[in-house]
Structure formats: C-alpha cells, structure tokens
Amino acid sequence: MALLTLTNAHLAFGHVPLLDGAGFSLEAGERVALIGRNGAGKSSLLKILAGLDKPDDGLLQQQQGLRRFYVAQEPAFAPGATVFQAVGEGVAEARSLRERYERHAPGDDLDALQTRIEQLGGWTWEQRVEQTLQHLNLDATAQVDALSGGTKKRVALAQALVAAPDVLLLDEPTNHLDLDAIEWLQELLNAWKGALVLISHDRAFIDAVATRIVELDRGVLRSYPGNFSTFEATKARELESEALANARADKLLAQEEVWIRKGVEARRTRSVSRVNRLHVLREQRAQRRESLGQVRLELDTGVPTGKIVAELQRVGMRYGDRELIKDFSATILRGDKVGLIGPNGVGKTTLLKLILGQLEPTSGSVRRGSNLQVAYFDQMRGGLNLDATLADTISPGSEWVEIGGQRKHVMSYLGDFLFAPARANSPVRTLSGGERNRLLLARLFALPANVLVLDEPTNDLDIDTLELLEELLQSYGGTVFLVSHDRRFLDNVVTSTIAWEGDVSPGRWREYEGGYEDWKLQKARSLAAAEAAAPKPAAAPAPAPAAVAVPAKPPRKLGYKEQRELDALPARIEALEAEQKTLTEQLSDPELYVRDAQRATQMHERVAQIEEELMAALERWEELGSR
C-alpha cells in the first residue's frame, strides 16, 4: 500500500487552476523530484502532501501512524533559540510526552504515555539531537539568528532528521548551500531510508538523488521513472507528439467549421452525427490548456571592450590578519565566460571587485581594459524596490525600452519574460521569488553592458528559464563572471573556472580550463600527482653506501612539434565534441533504429570511439600545458 495517495485534487487561486484533477502516490523508499514552472503550484502541492494545506476538492489518504516532516524553502525558527533548541523542535512531541510522564497528575494513563514515548524514542531524545548535530557539524550553543542562510538550512535538515519521519518533504533544499554542502546533502539523502519528495531546479542534484520525476504541468501531474536525464528525453518526445496531435485536431475543427457554414441546401441535408462531432471538437478545443509560453531573452552587448578585460599580477588581499587572496595571477579576455567556485564567505565577491576595479589589492597589480560597462545581478535582489511597479522597475519614467538599437514597448518587453500586461502596474512585492529573479534579469538585460556579473542567477528560476538563460549566455559576445552553485549551469556556460583552494594553502586561488566537472577532474589529477611525487618515509633506517647526489633535471620545455600539437589540440577537442553531439542527437531519434539499424550500430560504436579519443586528447592537452 502507498504511504500517501492524492486523488482527483483541485486547487485554484483566482481563475487559474493549479491542480486540475491531479493524482499522486508515494511508495516506501521512493525519492521523488517535483518539477514545473514558477507559479505552477509545486509548493502548494508539497504543503498539501505535508498536511499543512488542503485542496479545494479531492482526497488525501495516508497510512495510519505515518510521520511526515516538511522543510520550507526559507525555514523559520523561534527568535533567540540556540541550535540545540531549534533542532530539538523536531522531537517536540516526544519531549512533551516525557515531561508529562515525569510530572504526571492523578488520572493520567501512564501505560499509554509510556507506550507512545517508546514508539517515538522519547527516552533518549537528547542523545539523538546531540548525535545529529555532531553528524552535521553544527554548534549546539550557537544562536540561530546569527547563522548564515546555508547554516540555517543545515539546522532545518537536522530538525527533520532527528524527527526520523517516514516521509521527508523538502522545498528547494539546495538554496543558500555551497557546492560542498550540496554534495554532502546528496550523500545524506541517498543514504536516507525513508521516502522523499523534494522540489528543486538543480538538475545535477535531481539527477544524483531522484528515482522518479513528477512534473506539474498545466494542473496535471505526470510521472516519469528514472532520473532527470531520462525525463528530458521522454518529455521532448511527448511534447512533439502533443504538438502534432493538437495540430491535427485544429485542422479537423477548421474543416468542420467550414462545412457547417455552407449554404442553405447543405444545411438541410447535414448529418446529425457530424454536427454532434463538431460540438465535441469545439468543447475539446475550449478545454485544452496550451503549453506555457517561453521566456524570450535578448541582451544588448553595448560598446565592445578592449581585447583584455583585466590582467592580474600576483594579486593579494588582506583584511586584518585574514588573507583572502594570495599571489593570484590571471588574464581575462573579451568574450571569456568565467565561473567562480568556492564555499560561502571565502572571498568570491572580493575577487570580483578586485577584477572590476571596485577594490584595490593590498599587494600586486591589476590592469583593467577600456570601455567596461558592467551590469550586476545581485542574488539578494537588493536592487529591487518592492513598492515600485514592474513597469517602473524596467523603464522608470518611460514606456519604451531600447535593446540593441531597437525600441520595444515596456508591456511587450515584460511579456517576453512571461509577465501579463495586467500585472505591469502591480508592485514588485506581489511577485514570487522566481518571478522577482525573472524581473531582475529583465532589468539587467535592458541595460547596455559588455561585462555581466551574475551572482547566483539560478536561484528560484524554473528549469525552462535556466536552459534559455544558458543559451543566451553561450551566444553573448561580452564577458561573463558567474558565481553559481548550480553545477550543470556552470558546465554549460563557463569557459574557465577560478576556484578557491584555501584548504590547501590560505588565500590560494587557481584558474582552470573548462567548467565544474573539468575542474573536479583536473584537481583530482593534481592531487594524485602531488601524492605520487611526495617522498615516502623509509620502512626502517638502514646503512647505505654513500652515493653521489644527482641534480634534479629541470622540466623539459616544449619542442617545436609539441608546441604545434598543443596549439592544435583545442580545435581537435572542439571538433570531436561537435561530432559527438551530432551523433547523440541523431541516435535519440527512435525512427533511426527502424529505418537503418546497421547505421545506428555504427554510430554507437563511433560515439564510444570519440569518448576514448576525447579522453586521450584532454590528457595530452593537460600534459603539454603543464610544461
């Protein structure tokens, strides 16, 4: 029997139905990722499953004695509470029952109290809280109010884990977490024995955690077994089939409408069944909910910068005794897409300000390019006036926006970002988190800029908008600095990565080619090489004849042929990746296997061969580049 079953659920806000006869069930041990557009009703559905809200209509059934725990997107705690007290709220019932048992009054049913306390593990709740805090590296005495957003999210997760629920419900659990914390959370949830329902837009996180994808699309829930990659392929085929079916239905309806409007003679002899079919077609067309529109993104790149955007030579930055940046050198060229990776609070924003001239280093030098026009996206949305209207936020004092030399009415421009004209004069405070991010992007892209600084732009954006933003940034002719904890987004956008390595040496930053996965691979190889080169202690000292010391050979410089090989490798790697992408797209067509099975087999073999050639080329590139 399913743990939770939702049947024929209906929920509407105003005239928009968020749930339209939706059904859902959750089995023991399942890890379900709930995805969908911003405003589609995902958080409302999660609260219904948690028992916090009720649908307008429909039935939610659950197993008897089922324990559920809901972690909100922005968890709230009692003012002035310590971490121990906040986490202890996860066992509030067990704590309350034990207190009642210890100070029992005449007439209390002590046997029933004792049975319930044992069911909840209430005799040892303090030890469970302490063990959970130790496991999550949390300070029990710290004040929750003084913690960062990421640490507060850890406290909320600790509160959930100590409750030991049968069903854990998480709303955007990766928000405010850095990359290390996200990977830690992945391992934690993969080891979780209970059932899990989570809302997330982090595609890499969903891929690593989910065993089933449930999409909320136009009021209906659709289930897809497997991870996010499997869902993407299946969904693309579904949308194509739906578009074809709708086109055929529209064509048939148009033909029947022409027929019904023929002359008097035709109407006298028309078929009753055909008239009835026309009524059915009209009703079906009226009830159809079209696929939601796509955000249309455009960027004004402004005046081109010089070839060099910034050149840093042995830059250092200190605040008192703390060294944030030490001896860092890099050259940023026009058109580079640079990702910054590191835990919260290590100095990513400081490094960005040094590059862009908002701060001067305490040591070293920074040479900046000419004609820099910088547009900044703030993850805290501090640039938004909550009392201003959407139209005034985009174009204060004017009804027009100019993008790339072309004028566009502000209503039309807001429509490109899926804001209806009726909402143009609404205050910003009425928008959801994802909608505020869309509005901030709309204002940012209305500014002429040749340097974009994006600080966590992916927070609260739905997956469709993320993919469109990726495409826009890939084709953008200016320079991009991207701070993000979304690994898939980094991999798809950046051409180089500046990573914090302060755990190796204080203040150390290093530049790597490629995105997040490239950085992980190169860093792992560097660590393996360092361990292999490190001197190993002898098992036991033994007398040995004196030997003449041989001076270590300096690393050999590249010869002419090797330099030519190194120069040609990027183009070869790019060609292999392009061929691989083309073959993969062709292989995703099911008709290929029916039409030419032998060709499909050959293409599969070529894809495997390209993978080997790519690995060899990357390893050779790294080997030659290190010399």
Side-chain angles (χ1 to χ4, degrees):
M1 178 183 172
L3 300 178
L4 287 172
T5 304
L6 183 66
T7 309
N8 197 29
H10 292 264
L11 180 69
F13 285 103
H15 66 284
V16 180
L18 299 180
L19 299 177
D20 192 5
F24 174 80
S25 65
L26 180 68
E27 301 291 337
E30 269 197 307
R31 295 197 295 274
V32 175
L34 180 60
I35 66 173
R37 284 287 186 87
N38 291 132
K42 301 185 298 297
S43 293
S44 299
L45 173 60
L46 199 67
K47 287 179 181 178
I48 289 173
L49 296 177
L52 302 176
D53 287 342
K54 292 184 178 180
D56 298 335
D57 193 13
L59 178 65
L60 177 66
Q61 295 174 297
Q62 65 175 41
Q63 280 191 6
Q64 188 173 3
L66 186 76
R67 295 198 303 274
R68 296 169 287 179
F69 201 99
Y70 169 78
V71 179
Q73 187 171 341
E74 300 292 341
F77 302 97
T82 65
V83 170
F84 185 89
Q85 291 168 338
V87 175
E89 287 300 312
V91 287
E93 184 186 358
R95 186 179 60 191
S96 172
L97 288 173
R98 200 179 82 180
E99 289 174 357
R100 182 180 165 191
Y101 182 89
E102 290 169 348
R103 62 169 192 272
H104 64 275
D108 283 344
D109 188 346
L110 295 184
D111 288 339
L113 278 174
Q114 184 174 355
T115 301
R116 183 59 179 161
I117 291 170
E118 288 173 354
Q119 287 175 344
L120 297 173
W123 301 116
T124 58
W125 71 263
E126 294 96 340
Q127 293 92 318
R128 283 164 54 198
V129 171
E130 288 169 358
Q131 288 170 1
T132 305
L133 293 178
Q134 186 176 5
H135 181 60
L136 302 187
N137 296 319
L138 291 169
D139 180 2
T141 60
Q143 294 285 320
V144 176
D145 295 340
L147 300 178
S148 66
T151 310
K152 283 182 180 177
K153 187 67 70 120
R154 280 179 180 255
V155 173
L157 289 167
Q159 194 182 79
L161 294 174
V162 80
D166 302 305
V167 178
L168 184 58
L169 303 114
L170 306 178
D171 193 351
E172 292 287 359
T174 61
N175 273 10
H176 307 301
L177 297 184
D178 56 37
L179 289 168
D180 290 339
I182 290 172
E183 291 187 341
W184 160 84
L185 181 59
Q186 279 180 195
E187 295 174 6
L188 183 73
L189 294 180
N190 283 330
W192 171 255
K193 301 301 182 186
L196 171 69
V197 183
L198 63 93
I199 296 172
S200 180
H201 299 138
D202 187 327
R203 293 158 291 178
F205 180 76
I206 295 174
D207 244 351
V209 171
T211 57
R212 179 159 66 103
I213 308 295
V214 172
E215 183 188 30
L216 179 53
D217 180 24
R218 289 164 281 172
V220 178
L221 290 170
R222 296 183 176 88
S223 181
Y224 301 84
N227 61 13
F228 186 77
S229 298
T230 307
F231 158 77
E232 282 185 303
T234 307
K235 184 64 179 178
R237 292 194 295 270
E238 279 188 3
L239 287 175
E240 185 177 351
S241 300
E242 181 182 344
L244 288 172
N246 287 343
R248 284 195 293 267
D250 290 343
K251 183 178 179 180
L252 179 60
L253 176 60
Q255 291 171 344
E256 295 301 291
E257 291 287 3
V258 170
W259 170 80
I260 201 70
R261 288 173 175 79
K262 285 183 179 178
V264 175
E265 186 65 29
R267 284 200 297 273
R268 287 175 184 165
T269 59
R270 63 192 174 191
S271 163
V272 174
S273 63
R274 193 167 178 182
V275 172
N276 289 338
R277 184 177 68 170
L278 175 60
H279 288 311
V280 171
L281 288 171
R282 284 174 175 172
E283 186 177 350
Q284 288 174 347
R285 183 64 185 85
Q287 291 178 352
R288 186 195 305 168
R289 295 183 65 183
E290 298 290 354
S291 177
L292 296 174
Q294 297 280 8
V295 176
R296 290 187 289 277
L297 303 180
E298 295 178 80
L299 262 173
D300 187 350
T301 55
V303 180
T305 64
K307 184 177 180 181
I308 293 179
V309 173
E311 187 177 28
L312 292 78
Q313 294 288 340
R314 304 180 69 87
V315 165
M317 193 69 186
R318 268 183 184 278
Y319 285 106
D321 295 334
R322 190 180 178 199
E323 192 169 31
L324 289 179
I325 303 166
K326 178 182 178 182
D327 201 27
F328 176 67
S329 298
T331 301
I332 312 297
L333 302 177
R334 181 178 64 233
D336 283 353
K337 312 290 191 295
V338 183
L340 279 82
I341 291 177
N344 295 329
V346 297
K348 297 189 294 292
T349 303
T350 301
L351 180 55
L352 272 175
K353 289 180 177 179
L354 283 175
I355 293 172
L356 299 173
Q358 297 173 13
L359 286 177
E360 292 300 325
T362 52
S363 63
S365 64
V366 182
R367 182 166 68 95
R368 299 175 186 92
S370 57
N371 300 325
L372 297 186
Q373 296 174 300
V374 181
Y376 191 86
F377 180 95
D378 176 15
Q379 66 162 318
M380 303 309 293
R381 311 184 191 105
L384 289 178
N385 179 358
L386 299 183
D387 295 319
T389 66
L390 275 63
D392 284 341
T393 300
I394 297 300
S395 183
S398 173
E399 294 184 353
W400 299 93
V401 178
E402 191 165 327
I403 305 288
Q406 294 184 345
R407 296 184 77 203
K408 181 176 283 191
H409 197 276
V410 68
M411 296 292 188
S412 174
Y413 185 69
L414 284 169
D416 289 346
F417 288 81
L418 303 185
F419 293 111
R423 303 185 68 186
N425 293 316
S426 302
V428 173
R429 65 174 66 256
T430 63
L431 302 180
S432 68
E435 289 172 326
R436 291 183 191 183
N437 261 19
R438 278 212 312 271
L439 182 66
L440 200 55
L441 286 173
R443 192 179 72 169
L444 180 78
F445 294 165
L447 302 173
N450 49 38
V451 177
L452 284 180
V453 180
L454 304 176
D455 188 359
E456 292 294 350
T458 63
N459 280 355
D460 301 321
L461 290 182
D462 58 52
I463 291 171
D464 288 347
T465 307
L466 279 179
E467 292 174 347
L468 289 166
L469 181 57
E470 284 175 1
E471 293 175 11
L472 177 74
L473 294 177
Q474 287 165 1
S475 60
Y476 175 59
T479 306
V480 177
F481 294 96
L482 175 61
V483 179
S484 178
H485 298 143
D486 188 323
R487 293 157 291 175
R488 182 80 66 88
F489 192 77
L490 283 166
D491 279 333
N492 291 343
V493 171
V494 304
T495 57
S496 65
T497 300
I498 297 176
W500 177 81
E501 295 184 349
D503 51 345
V504 177
S505 176
R508 175 176 168 179
W509 292 81
R510 186 176 171 188
E511 188 175 15
Y512 293 87
E513 292 296 324
Y516 175 79
E517 292 298 333
D518 298 308
W519 164 68
K520 278 188 69 176
L521 180 63
Q522 294 173 67
K523 186 179 180 183
R525 287 176 177 167
S526 298
L527 290 174
E531 289 175 5
K536 296 181 181 178
V548 178
V550 179
K553 292 182 180 179
R556 183 172 63 86
K557 293 184 178 180
L558 294 180
Y560 174 74
K561 290 184 178 180
E562 289 176 323
Q563 183 62 51
R564 290 285 301 274
E565 182 185 0
L566 177 61
D567 293 341
L569 275 171
R572 171 167 169 71
I573 291 170
E574 186 176 350
L576 286 170
E577 288 176 339
E579 184 184 358
Q580 185 183 46
K581 181 180 178 182
T582 302
L583 290 173
T584 304
E585 288 174 353
Q586 293 175 358
L587 286 169
S588 65
D589 179 12
E591 297 296 327
L592 174 66
Y593 300 88
V594 178
R595 189 171 60 250
D596 194 346
Q598 184 178 359
R599 172 64 177 154
T601 304
Q602 292 172 350
M603 290 166 71
H604 271 294
E605 292 172 354
R606 178 55 185 156
V607 167
Q609 185 181 355
I610 290 173
E611 189 66 32
E612 294 177 3
E613 291 179 15
L614 265 176
M615 287 304 298
L618 287 168
E619 289 172 0
R620 183 62 173 162
W621 187 26
E622 185 179 353
E623 177 193 346
L624 295 176
S626 65
R627 287 163 47 193

mmCIF file of all heavy atoms in Angstrom, residues 170-201:
data_model
loop_
_atom_site.group_PDB
_atom_site.id
_atom_site.type_symbol
_atom_site.label_atom_id
_atom_site.label_comp_id
_atom_site.label_asym_id
_atom_site.label_seq_id
_atom_site.Cartn_x
_atom_site.Cartn_y
_atom_site.Cartn_z
ATOM 1 N N LEU A 170 10.924 18.305 1.127
ATOM 2 C CA LEU A 170 11.899 19.397 1.080
ATOM 3 C C LEU A 170 11.555 20.356 -0.054
ATOM 4 O O LEU A 170 11.396 19.945 -1.205
ATOM 5 C CB LEU A 170 13.317 18.851 0.852
ATOM 6 C CG LEU A 170 13.819 17.775 1.819
ATOM 7 C CD1 LEU A 170 15.217 17.319 1.414
ATOM 8 C CD2 LEU A 170 13.825 18.305 3.243
ATOM 9 N N ASP A 171 11.477 21.655 0.266
ATOM 10 C CA ASP A 171 11.215 22.687 -0.735
ATOM 11 C C ASP A 171 12.508 23.452 -1.012
ATOM 12 O O ASP A 171 13.016 24.182 -0.152
ATOM 13 C CB ASP A 171 10.130 23.645 -0.219
ATOM 14 C CG ASP A 171 9.586 24.547 -1.318
ATOM 15 O OD1 ASP A 171 10.161 24.551 -2.425
ATOM 16 O OD2 ASP A 171 8.580 25.246 -1.072
ATOM 17 N N GLU A 172 13.079 23.268 -2.204
ATOM 18 C CA GLU A 172 14.327 23.911 -2.636
ATOM 19 C C GLU A 172 15.444 23.737 -1.587
ATOM 20 O O GLU A 172 15.956 24.714 -1.033
ATOM 21 C CB GLU A 172 14.097 25.396 -2.910
ATOM 22 C CG GLU A 172 13.224 25.673 -4.105
ATOM 23 C CD GLU A 172 13.915 25.397 -5.439
ATOM 24 O OE1 GLU A 172 15.092 25.010 -5.436
ATOM 25 O OE2 GLU A 172 13.249 25.548 -6.468
ATOM 26 N N PRO A 173 15.839 22.492 -1.285
ATOM 27 C CA PRO A 173 16.824 22.272 -0.213
ATOM 28 C C PRO A 173 18.222 22.796 -0.530
ATOM 29 O O PRO A 173 19.016 22.995 0.373
ATOM 30 C CB PRO A 173 16.834 20.747 -0.061
ATOM 31 C CG PRO A 173 16.412 20.232 -1.394
ATOM 32 C CD PRO A 173 15.419 21.235 -1.913
ATOM 33 N N THR A 174 18.557 23.021 -1.821
ATOM 34 C CA THR A 174 19.920 23.451 -2.164
ATOM 35 C C THR A 174 20.101 24.959 -2.146
ATOM 36 O O THR A 174 21.229 25.437 -2.281
ATOM 37 C CB THR A 174 20.321 22.921 -3.560
ATOM 38 O OG1 THR A 174 19.423 23.448 -4.548
ATOM 39 C CG2 THR A 174 20.266 21.409 -3.600
ATOM 40 N N ASN A 175 19.005 25.732 -2.001
ATOM 41 C CA ASN A 175 19.147 27.194 -1.937
ATOM 42 C C ASN A 175 20.021 27.589 -0.752
ATOM 43 O O ASN A 175 19.857 27.074 0.363
ATOM 44 C CB ASN A 175 17.780 27.860 -1.814
ATOM 45 C CG ASN A 175 17.153 28.115 -3.170
ATOM 46 O OD1 ASN A 175 17.639 27.630 -4.194
ATOM 47 N ND2 ASN A 175 16.068 28.863 -3.188
ATOM 48 N N HIS A 176 20.957 28.503 -0.972
ATOM 49 C CA HIS A 176 21.885 29.034 0.038
ATOM 50 C C HIS A 176 23.002 28.059 0.399
ATOM 51 O O HIS A 176 23.839 28.381 1.255
ATOM 52 C CB HIS A 176 21.163 29.459 1.332
ATOM 53 C CG HIS A 176 20.023 30.403 1.106
ATOM 54 N ND1 HIS A 176 20.174 31.627 0.492
ATOM 55 C CD2 HIS A 176 18.701 30.301 1.386
ATOM 56 C CE1 HIS A 176 19.012 32.243 0.424
ATOM 57 N NE2 HIS A 176 18.094 31.449 0.960
ATOM 58 N N LEU A 177 23.028 26.865 -0.199
ATOM 59 C CA LEU A 177 24.113 25.923 0.088
ATOM 60 C C LEU A 177 25.219 26.081 -0.948
ATOM 61 O O LEU A 177 24.952 26.300 -2.125
ATOM 62 C CB LEU A 177 23.598 24.483 0.063
ATOM 63 C CG LEU A 177 22.546 24.084 1.108
ATOM 64 C CD1 LEU A 177 22.243 22.594 0.993
ATOM 65 C CD2 LEU A 177 23.002 24.413 2.515
ATOM 66 N N ASP A 178 26.488 25.958 -0.490
ATOM 67 C CA ASP A 178 27.586 25.988 -1.448
ATOM 68 C C ASP A 178 27.784 24.590 -2.031
ATOM 69 O O ASP A 178 27.088 23.626 -1.671
ATOM 70 C CB ASP A 178 28.871 26.522 -0.795
ATOM 71 C CG ASP A 178 29.288 25.744 0.443
ATOM 72 O OD1 ASP A 178 29.109 24.508 0.440
ATOM 73 O OD2 ASP A 178 29.801 26.343 1.399
ATOM 74 N N LEU A 179 28.755 24.473 -2.962
ATOM 75 C CA LEU A 179 28.922 23.207 -3.696
ATOM 76 C C LEU A 179 29.248 22.042 -2.775
ATOM 77 O O LEU A 179 28.714 20.940 -2.941
ATOM 78 C CB LEU A 179 30.017 23.381 -4.751
ATOM 79 C CG LEU A 179 29.636 24.261 -5.944
ATOM 80 C CD1 LEU A 179 30.855 24.599 -6.764
ATOM 81 C CD2 LEU A 179 28.597 23.574 -6.809
ATOM 82 N N ASP A 180 30.135 22.263 -1.812
ATOM 83 C CA ASP A 180 30.479 21.182 -0.879
ATOM 84 C C ASP A 180 29.254 20.735 -0.087
ATOM 85 O O ASP A 180 29.033 19.533 0.124
ATOM 86 C CB ASP A 180 31.590 21.629 0.084
ATOM 87 C CG ASP A 180 32.929 21.784 -0.618
ATOM 88 O OD1 ASP A 180 33.090 21.186 -1.704
ATOM 89 O OD2 ASP A 180 33.806 22.499 -0.094
ATOM 90 N N ALA A 181 28.451 21.717 0.356
ATOM 91 C CA ALA A 181 27.255 21.390 1.138
ATOM 92 C C ALA A 181 26.216 20.659 0.282
ATOM 93 O O ALA A 181 25.526 19.759 0.768
ATOM 94 C CB ALA A 181 26.650 22.662 1.725
ATOM 95 N N ILE A 182 26.112 21.020 -1.005
ATOM 96 C CA ILE A 182 25.163 20.337 -1.893
ATOM 97 C C ILE A 182 25.571 18.883 -2.082
ATOM 98 O O ILE A 182 24.732 17.973 -2.037
ATOM 99 C CB ILE A 182 25.073 21.075 -3.246
ATOM 100 C CG1 ILE A 182 24.379 22.427 -3.068
ATOM 101 C CG2 ILE A 182 24.303 20.235 -4.265
ATOM 102 C CD1 ILE A 182 24.404 23.303 -4.299
ATOM 103 N N GLU A 183 26.866 18.643 -2.280
ATOM 104 C CA GLU A 183 27.326 17.255 -2.446
ATOM 105 C C GLU A 183 27.145 16.474 -1.149
ATOM 106 O O GLU A 183 26.805 15.283 -1.174
ATOM 107 C CB GLU A 183 28.785 17.258 -2.893
ATOM 108 C CG GLU A 183 28.953 17.798 -4.318
ATOM 109 C CD GLU A 183 30.360 17.650 -4.836
ATOM 110 O OE1 GLU A 183 31.285 17.467 -4.026
ATOM 111 O OE2 GLU A 183 30.551 17.718 -6.073
ATOM 112 N N TRP A 184 27.366 17.147 -0.014
ATOM 113 C CA TRP A 184 27.126 16.492 1.282
ATOM 114 C C TRP A 184 25.648 16.115 1.414
ATOM 115 O O TRP A 184 25.314 15.008 1.858
ATOM 116 C CB TRP A 184 27.543 17.445 2.403
ATOM 117 C CG TRP A 184 26.938 17.112 3.729
ATOM 118 C CD1 TRP A 184 27.376 16.207 4.644
ATOM 119 C CD2 TRP A 184 25.734 17.687 4.286
ATOM 120 N NE1 TRP A 184 26.522 16.179 5.725
ATOM 121 C CE2 TRP A 184 25.513 17.063 5.532
ATOM 122 C CE3 TRP A 184 24.837 18.656 3.844
ATOM 123 C CZ2 TRP A 184 24.434 17.395 6.336
ATOM 124 C CZ3 TRP A 184 23.760 18.980 4.648
ATOM 125 C CH2 TRP A 184 23.569 18.351 5.883
ATOM 126 N N LEU A 185 24.747 17.024 1.002
ATOM 127 C CA LEU A 185 23.310 16.755 1.093
ATOM 128 C C LEU A 185 22.914 15.604 0.170
ATOM 129 O O LEU A 185 22.066 14.778 0.524
ATOM 130 C CB LEU A 185 22.527 18.021 0.738
ATOM 131 C CG LEU A 185 21.000 17.916 0.800
ATOM 132 C CD1 LEU A 185 20.531 17.513 2.189
ATOM 133 C CD2 LEU A 185 20.349 19.241 0.373
ATOM 134 N N GLN A 186 23.535 15.541 -1.021
ATOM 135 C CA GLN A 186 23.276 14.418 -1.932
ATOM 136 C C GLN A 186 23.567 13.090 -1.240
ATOM 137 O O GLN A 186 22.755 12.158 -1.280
ATOM 138 C CB GLN A 186 24.179 14.529 -3.168
ATOM 139 C CG GLN A 186 23.683 15.470 -4.222
ATOM 140 C CD GLN A 186 24.611 15.543 -5.415
ATOM 141 O OE1 GLN A 186 24.489 16.449 -6.213
ATOM 142 N NE2 GLN A 186 25.534 14.633 -5.545
ATOM 143 N N GLU A 187 24.744 12.994 -0.630
ATOM 144 C CA GLU A 187 25.120 11.739 0.051
ATOM 145 C C GLU A 187 24.157 11.428 1.183
ATOM 146 O O GLU A 187 23.761 10.275 1.390
ATOM 147 C CB GLU A 187 26.554 11.855 0.576
ATOM 148 C CG GLU A 187 27.609 11.989 -0.515
ATOM 149 C CD GLU A 187 28.998 12.240 0.053
ATOM 150 O OE1 GLU A 187 29.145 12.203 1.286
ATOM 151 O OE2 GLU A 187 29.923 12.486 -0.749
ATOM 152 N N LEU A 188 23.762 12.470 1.919
ATOM 153 C CA LEU A 188 22.841 12.287 3.049
ATOM 154 C C LEU A 188 21.504 11.733 2.573
ATOM 155 O O LEU A 188 20.968 10.766 3.140
ATOM 156 C CB LEU A 188 22.639 13.634 3.752
ATOM 157 C CG LEU A 188 21.764 13.632 5.009
ATOM 158 C CD1 LEU A 188 22.502 12.997 6.162
ATOM 159 C CD2 LEU A 188 21.354 15.056 5.373
ATOM 160 N N LEU A 189 20.951 12.307 1.498
ATOM 161 C CA LEU A 189 19.633 11.878 1.014
ATOM 162 C C LEU A 189 19.701 10.519 0.325
ATOM 163 O O LEU A 189 18.741 9.751 0.383
ATOM 164 C CB LEU A 189 19.060 12.927 0.064
ATOM 165 C CG LEU A 189 18.724 14.287 0.694
ATOM 166 C CD1 LEU A 189 18.154 15.236 -0.344
ATOM 167 C CD2 LEU A 189 17.764 14.131 1.865
ATOM 168 N N ASN A 190 20.823 10.222 -0.330
ATOM 169 C CA ASN A 190 20.966 8.900 -0.954
ATOM 170 C C ASN A 190 21.044 7.799 0.096
ATOM 171 O O ASN A 190 20.679 6.649 -0.174
ATOM 172 C CB ASN A 190 22.200 8.871 -1.853
ATOM 173 C CG ASN A 190 21.958 9.589 -3.174
ATOM 174 O OD1 ASN A 190 20.841 9.623 -3.668
ATOM 175 N ND2 ASN A 190 23.000 10.160 -3.745
ATOM 176 N N ALA A 191 21.542 8.146 1.291
ATOM 177 C CA ALA A 191 21.590 7.169 2.383
ATOM 178 C C ALA A 191 20.295 7.138 3.192
ATOM 179 O O ALA A 191 20.121 6.277 4.054
ATOM 180 C CB ALA A 191 22.769 7.495 3.309
ATOM 181 N N TRP A 192 19.392 8.067 2.919
ATOM 182 C CA TRP A 192 18.123 8.171 3.654
ATOM 183 C C TRP A 192 17.246 6.961 3.340
ATOM 184 O O TRP A 192 17.027 6.609 2.196
ATOM 185 C CB TRP A 192 17.432 9.466 3.235
ATOM 186 C CG TRP A 192 16.027 9.651 3.715
ATOM 187 C CD1 TRP A 192 14.882 9.541 2.999
ATOM 188 C CD2 TRP A 192 15.622 9.984 5.036
ATOM 189 N NE1 TRP A 192 13.786 9.786 3.768
ATOM 190 C CE2 TRP A 192 14.210 10.059 5.039
ATOM 191 C CE3 TRP A 192 16.295 10.220 6.228
ATOM 192 C CZ2 TRP A 192 13.487 10.370 6.168
ATOM 193 C CZ3 TRP A 192 15.579 10.529 7.355
ATOM 194 C CH2 TRP A 192 14.193 10.594 7.324
ATOM 195 N N LYS A 193 16.736 6.310 4.370
ATOM 196 C CA LYS A 193 15.958 5.077 4.195
ATOM 197 C C LYS A 193 14.475 5.333 3.980
ATOM 198 O O LYS A 193 13.761 4.493 3.442
ATOM 199 C CB LYS A 193 16.135 4.174 5.427
ATOM 200 C CG LYS A 193 17.573 3.763 5.709
ATOM 201 C CD LYS A 193 18.178 3.015 4.542
ATOM 202 C CE LYS A 193 19.602 2.568 4.842
ATOM 203 N NZ LYS A 193 20.261 1.949 3.672
ATOM 204 N N GLY A 194 13.995 6.502 4.411
ATOM 205 C CA GLY A 194 12.578 6.789 4.258
ATOM 206 C C GLY A 194 12.246 7.279 2.859
ATOM 207 O O GLY A 194 13.090 7.325 1.964
ATOM 208 N N ALA A 195 10.979 7.661 2.668
ATOM 209 C CA ALA A 195 10.534 8.215 1.382
ATOM 210 C C ALA A 195 10.820 9.709 1.357
ATOM 211 O O ALA A 195 10.872 10.366 2.403
ATOM 212 C CB ALA A 195 9.051 7.948 1.189
ATOM 213 N N LEU A 196 11.003 10.248 0.151
ATOM 214 C CA LEU A 196 11.414 11.636 -0.008
ATOM 215 C C LEU A 196 10.658 12.271 -1.168
ATOM 216 O O LEU A 196 10.528 11.679 -2.239
ATOM 217 C CB LEU A 196 12.925 11.691 -0.279
ATOM 218 C CG LEU A 196 13.540 13.026 -0.694
ATOM 219 C CD1 LEU A 196 13.517 13.994 0.475
ATOM 220 C CD2 LEU A 196 14.978 12.824 -1.175
ATOM 221 N N VAL A 197 10.137 13.475 -0.947
ATOM 222 C CA VAL A 197 9.581 14.302 -2.023
ATOM 223 C C VAL A 197 10.265 15.658 -1.937
ATOM 224 O O VAL A 197 10.260 16.284 -0.872
ATOM 225 C CB VAL A 197 8.054 14.487 -1.904
ATOM 226 C CG1 VAL A 197 7.524 15.299 -3.084
ATOM 227 C CG2 VAL A 197 7.347 13.144 -1.838
ATOM 228 N N LEU A 198 10.877 16.102 -3.033
ATOM 229 C CA LEU A 198 11.600 17.377 -3.000
ATOM 230 C C LEU A 198 11.271 18.210 -4.225
ATOM 231 O O LEU A 198 10.999 17.682 -5.302
ATOM 232 C CB LEU A 198 13.108 17.154 -2.894
ATOM 233 C CG LEU A 198 13.838 16.437 -4.025
ATOM 234 C CD1 LEU A 198 14.402 17.435 -5.034
ATOM 235 C CD2 LEU A 198 14.970 15.578 -3.493
ATOM 236 N N ILE A 199 11.295 19.532 -4.024
ATOM 237 C CA ILE A 199 11.195 20.486 -5.129
ATOM 238 C C ILE A 199 12.584 21.062 -5.350
ATOM 239 O O ILE A 199 13.230 21.523 -4.402
ATOM 240 C CB ILE A 199 10.215 21.619 -4.796
ATOM 241 C CG1 ILE A 199 8.797 21.076 -4.614
ATOM 242 C CG2 ILE A 199 10.229 22.689 -5.879
ATOM 243 C CD1 ILE A 199 7.820 22.109 -4.104
ATOM 244 N N SER A 200 13.053 21.016 -6.581
ATOM 245 C CA SER A 200 14.375 21.582 -6.887
ATOM 246 C C SER A 200 14.451 21.918 -8.368
ATOM 247 O O SER A 200 13.792 21.291 -9.200
ATOM 248 C CB SER A 200 15.480 20.586 -6.517
ATOM 249 O OG SER A 200 16.756 21.133 -6.803
ATOM 250 N N HIS A 201 15.282 22.939 -8.676
ATOM 251 C CA HIS A 201 15.576 23.287 -10.064
ATOM 252 C C HIS A 201 17.033 22.972 -10.393
ATOM 253 O O HIS A 201 17.496 23.304 -11.479
ATOM 254 C CB HIS A 201 15.292 24.777 -10.310
ATOM 255 C CG HIS A 201 13.869 25.162 -10.077
ATOM 256 N ND1 HIS A 201 13.493 26.316 -9.440
ATOM 257 C CD2 HIS A 201 12.712 24.512 -10.375
ATOM 258 C CE1 HIS A 201 12.178 26.379 -9.365
ATOM 259 N NE2 HIS A 201 11.682 25.296 -9.925
#
